[in-house]
Amino acid sequence: MSTRPIPERTVSSLTSMFVGCVAGEVALPTDVMVTNELDFRGSLGMPPAQYPEMLEMVETGKLDPEAIVSETIALEDTQDRLDAMTEYRTHGFPVIAEF
C-alpha cells in the first residue's frame, strides 16, 4: 500500500465534445495510471436547476467566482489560451471579456 498522495485528473466535459472521440468513449493509458497510481474522475457539472441556489451564494458572498478567474482575455487570444491549457501551462480560468 502506497503512502504517497494519489494524483488525480478531473474531467468536466462530455466526451462527445472532444474531436475524434466516440460519444461516451475516451482512451486512457491504464498502464501508466496503474503504475503511477493515478486516479481519474469525471464530472458532468452543475444542473441548471441548481443555478438559483448558486447565484444566491454568489450574491451573499458565500462563493467568490473571481477567486478562480486567472485572467481576462480578448476573443482573438482564445486559441493561445486553449493551447496553453492543452500543455498544462495555466492556472485558474481565463474569461473572455473583449469581443
Side-chain angles (χ1 to χ4, degrees), residues 30-71:
T30 54
D31 289 347
V32 172
M33 293 172 70
V34 170
T35 302
N36 293 301
E37 298 181 358
L38 300 176
D39 186 22
F40 185 90
R41 299 177 189 202
S43 171
L44 184 56
M46 177 184 273
Q50 292 181 339
Y51 287 0
E53 179 183 355
M54 183 263 311
L55 292 171
E56 182 179 332
M57 293 174 76
V58 170
E59 187 175 70
T60 61
K62 290 182 181 178
L63 290 178
D64 179 15
E66 290 182 13
I68 62 171
V69 174
S70 59
E71 62 184 321

Side-chain angles (χ1 to χ4, degrees), residues 76-98:
E76 61 264 13
D77 297 327
T78 304
Q79 188 61 55
D80 290 339
R81 298 319 302 148
L82 290 172
D83 292 342
M85 288 178 189
T86 301
E87 298 167 5
Y88 303 99
R89 294 185 287 120
T90 61
H91 296 88
F93 294 92
V95 174
I96 300 169
E98 296 175 35

